[in-house]
Amino acid sequence: MPRTKGAATRVRALAGGGVPALLWRTVLVAGLVCGIGLLPWLSRTDPALTVLRARSADRDPDPETLRAIRDDLGLDDGPLALLGRWLGGLLHGDAGTSWVSGSQVLPGVVQALGASLLLMSGALVVAAGTAAAVCARTLRLGARGRLGARRPGGSATAVLAALPEFLVASVLASVIGVQLGWLPALGWYGPLWMVLPSLALGLPAGAVLGRMLDDLLPGAFGEPWAMAAAARGVPSRSVARQAVRRCVPGLLPNLALFVVGLTGGSVAVEQIFDIPGLGRLTLHAALAQDLPALQTGTLALVLLAATAGLLARLAARVLIGPALRDGALQSLHRPRPPAPRTLPLLYGGLLAAVIGLGLPRDPLALDTLARLRAPSLEHPFGTDALGRDVLARISHGALTSLGTALAVSAAALAAGLLLGLLPRVSGPLVDTLSALPPVLAGLLVTGVMGSGTWTPAFAVAVVAWSPLAAHTSSLLRQERATTHLTATRALGAGRWYLLRHELLPAVAPPVARHALLRLPGIALSLAALGFLGLGAQPPSPDWGLLLAENQPYAERAPWAVLFPAAALALLGTLAVTAAGGVRLPRRRTRPAGPAEPPADRVAPAPLRRPDRPHALLTPASASQTEER
């Protein structure tokens, strides 16, 4: 009986809280599916007209045709009756028929899910290799005890992480697939056809995961076990392997989110490479308001997200072992913040210079005689297909693109920290919302709120906080199992004191650096919505719209695409390098001779008050030791 009870307790812990969490997860999934079922009525559009246009765009929407579609689909019965019939059939293994093609939905969704899972597997292999390359230098220096000589890097990684997936896919398809002919660029017929899309998805994802792992590794190499292993002559390769094992549990929740995102969120890549994946299927179903296909595809993504989250929690418990239960972990947060540097000033000044040079120019001025002109003194970044100055459009678009991305990032950071402190509430919510691709969220928000300036920002903000909340919950779970927190609690510290003075100082800095690392990704999500026509509308100079408008002319006028992509990459390098702090350049002066510190700058001995438990752990100063 005790063994059975212990197993049930472990399963309940892995599930995220037992019966209440299961009920909360069920309510969230039901709300999401019902919201999708109400999409045509919430968007105040005629679903019969939308289905007719999806079936045949040239057919005249006369009243008799629309009436026949309503009778055939049962639209007059209302959304609740349609949802009930779909759920009733789903219980018997029948997800209904497509409103557009008339084929069975479930076999198509299963086939699309298989293609997406295969593509996700290839992208994860590329991401793992990229992350290993990003962390290779830190692993080599840390295993040899030479991390103090490491200079902060990350500019190349930031550029890679900030590159839009659809832009990488377009370049790979046009250069490697079409011009060089090394690999197939279109279709899905075998292993060779998955190389280019896997690279397009895996390179940016691997750069982000590599930066997150590189942020945790110094704390692992500073733990007592690593120093003891180095002192006893343990091979550096074994020390590096154990350090990775120590840090991976903190990344597993975000890895689960990447799995779901690479499966259902790779809509633009699937569009470019003509891959019949689940993301593309749900996008087409949402645009055509094909509710059976859309609901089934979303439900498949939700189940995948729940499975990935459960496996991530199980793997974390296996890797950490009983130390998580016994409170025997060491804190992974850095004892001191990373050394500030001057690179953010350089990148920020360069970005400000680009914006400042283009602001005096008119972004809407048309010159049909100067279409697709190469960069020159008159047009430093060239012109687009309508003869508009690319530099002017980048500069004016930065005011809205950067401002919106910063606002969404700040809101996501606040929501992620707040909800991450409540894992039983946020865990099921993260698993559910992570299954909703930003593109589908944009369609749902646009259908409910209508198109507007802040509609794409709200759609991205709905899902942008979930990786930060997952990261917060993962770090919080490990920080609660540390030895110093157990000692502080034993000295009489209360719950609020531990939260303010121990947990938040340990969790907030890495999550804030994670949020800065996600800033280019948020800008990319906004750009992807613009690329798919769900964001800003012409003639707005939004960066996503710039990439979408100039994408067809990438081979003839590559500057019209490369310069907006370079601005996004510059934003990524600025965000990543600024995560370590900013330091103004100072001139080094050599002192004339050794000097004693002024008497008024000697730090006073800490006051030991009984209401401050941490003061009992504060070591005495050197002067006090000498006096004793």
Side-chain angles (χ1 to χ4, degrees):
M1 181 68 67
R3 181 176 300 178
T4 306
K5 184 177 180 180
T9 303
R10 288 193 294 269
V11 172
R12 188 165 53 249
L14 288 175
V19 176
L22 182 60
L23 292 177
W24 173 230
R25 194 183 300 271
T26 304
V27 169
L28 291 174
V29 174
L32 178 61
V33 173
C34 292
I36 292 175
L38 295 173
L39 179 61
W41 289 268
L42 292 175
S43 59
R44 295 173 294 277
T45 58
D46 187 1
L49 180 60
T50 306
V51 170
L52 177 62
R53 291 175 177 174
R55 291 178 177 177
S56 178
D58 299 332
R59 191 171 180 180
D60 186 22
D62 55 89
E64 291 78 8
T65 303
L66 296 178
R67 172 58 61 184
I69 293 177
R70 290 192 186 94
D71 295 339
D72 180 46
L73 302 180
L75 296 177
D76 292 336
D77 297 336
L80 296 181
L82 292 175
L83 181 61
R85 285 199 294 266
W86 177 77
L87 290 175
L90 193 64
L91 294 176
H92 296 85
D94 182 15
T97 58
S98 172
W99 288 1
V100 177
S101 63
S103 59
Q104 290 293 322
V105 169
L106 191 58
V109 170
V110 172
Q111 184 178 1
L113 179 61
S116 294
L117 290 178
L118 186 60
L119 177 60
M120 178 266 294
S121 302
L124 284 182
V125 172
V126 175
T130 306
V134 170
C135 302
R137 185 168 178 267
T138 302
L139 287 172
R140 184 176 65 254
L141 295 178
R144 298 176 181 177
R146 297 170 55 190
L147 271 181
R150 187 188 68 154
R151 293 183 178 181
S155 298
T157 307
V159 172
L160 187 59
L163 286 178
E165 295 174 351
F166 52 84
L167 179 61
V168 177
S170 299
V171 172
L172 292 177
S174 60
V175 175
I176 298 180
V178 177
Q179 295 181 4
L180 299 178
W182 292 349
L183 291 169
L186 294 176
W188 190 254
Y189 305 105
L192 289 179
W193 278 264
M194 65 179 295
V195 175
L196 293 182
S198 298
L199 288 173
L201 291 173
L203 289 176
V208 174
L209 287 175
R211 287 294 304 177
M212 294 175 62
L213 179 59
D214 195 69
D215 186 63
L216 294 175
L217 283 174
F221 283 119
E223 291 184 344
W225 69 264
M227 294 183 286
R232 293 183 61 88
V234 176
S236 57
R237 183 174 300 178
S238 299
V239 177
R241 184 169 60 251
Q242 293 301 322
V244 172
R245 179 178 178 177
R246 174 68 181 90
C247 298
V248 162
L251 302 179
L252 284 176
N254 278 277
L255 181 60
L257 297 183
F258 270 105
V259 167
V260 180
L262 293 176
T263 304
S266 55
V267 179
V269 175
E270 291 177 355
Q271 287 278 82
I272 292 172
F273 288 102
D274 195 21
I275 299 174
L278 189 58
R280 187 181 178 189
L281 185 146
T282 54
L283 174 64
H284 290 173
L287 293 175
Q289 294 186 357
D290 188 356
L291 294 186
L294 181 59
Q295 290 170 334
T296 308
T298 304
L299 185 60
L301 288 175
V302 169
L303 294 177
L304 176 64
T307 304
L310 179 63
L311 293 178
R313 289 189 289 271
L314 177 61
R317 287 184 175 269
V318 171
L319 290 175
I320 296 178
L324 187 65
R325 182 191 67 242
D326 299 336
L329 290 177
Q330 295 288 327
S331 178
L332 275 181
H333 77 278
R334 298 176 177 178
R336 59 181 180 274
R341 45 193 170 172
T342 58
L343 283 178
L345 299 176
L346 175 62
Y347 296 133
L350 184 58
L351 184 61
V354 171
I355 296 174
L357 288 176
L359 284 179
R361 301 170 178 264
D362 187 1
L364 303 179
L366 301 178
D367 187 1
T368 56
L369 300 179
R371 298 174 62 252
L372 300 177
R373 284 192 177 179
S376 60
L377 293 178
E378 183 180 2
H379 302 286
F381 287 1
T383 61
D384 62 4
L386 298 179
R388 296 173 295 190
D389 188 80
V390 176
L391 175 59
R393 295 184 64 76
I394 291 177
S395 300
H396 287 266
L399 300 179
T400 56
S401 299
L402 295 184
T404 305
L406 286 172
V408 173
S409 299
L413 176 59
L417 282 173
L418 180 62
L419 293 176
L421 298 176
L422 305 170
R424 293 189 178 183
V425 176
S426 62
L429 191 59
V430 167
D431 291 343
T432 304
L433 289 181
S434 64
L436 194 64
V439 174
L440 182 56
L443 288 172
L444 293 175
V445 174
T446 303
V448 175
M449 300 178 56
S451 58
T453 305
W454 289 98
T455 299
F458 185 77
V460 174
V462 167
V463 296
W465 63 269
S466 56
L468 302 178
H471 195 191
T472 301
S473 299
S474 177
L475 294 179
L476 186 68
R477 187 182 305 111
Q478 296 190 46
E479 197 65 27
R480 284 174 173 171
T482 54
T483 54
H484 76 89
L485 196 73
T486 303
T488 308
R489 188 185 295 113
L491 292 172
R495 183 176 300 177
W496 288 106
Y497 177 88
L498 293 175
L499 180 63
R500 294 195 308 268
H501 296 277
E502 300 293 341
L503 295 177
L504 281 180
V507 172
V511 175
R513 291 191 291 269
H514 185 189
L516 281 174
L517 189 62
R518 290 275 178 178
L519 175 61
I522 290 176
L524 291 180
S525 298
L526 295 171
L529 291 178
F531 178 78
L532 295 173
L534 302 176
Q537 300 299 319
S540 171
D542 181 80
W543 285 1
L545 191 59
L546 291 183
L547 293 170
E549 291 176 342
N550 297 317
Q551 189 67 33
Y553 310 98
E555 296 184 8
R556 180 181 174 186
W559 55 83
V561 176
L562 292 180
F563 282 114
L568 280 171
L570 189 58
L571 172 63
T573 55
L574 174 61
V576 173
T577 54
V582 181
R583 181 184 60 191
L584 294 174
R586 296 183 298 178
R587 295 180 60 185
R588 295 184 177 180
T589 58
R590 179 175 298 177
E596 294 293 332
D600 58 346
R601 293 190 180 181
V602 177
L607 297 177
R608 302 190 178 187
R609 297 170 52 185
D611 60 338
R612 298 178 62 188
H614 72 285
L616 300 177
L617 303 177
T618 305
S621 62
S623 60
Q624 290 175 320
T625 305
E626 292 176 359
E627 291 176 1
R628 294 176 184 175

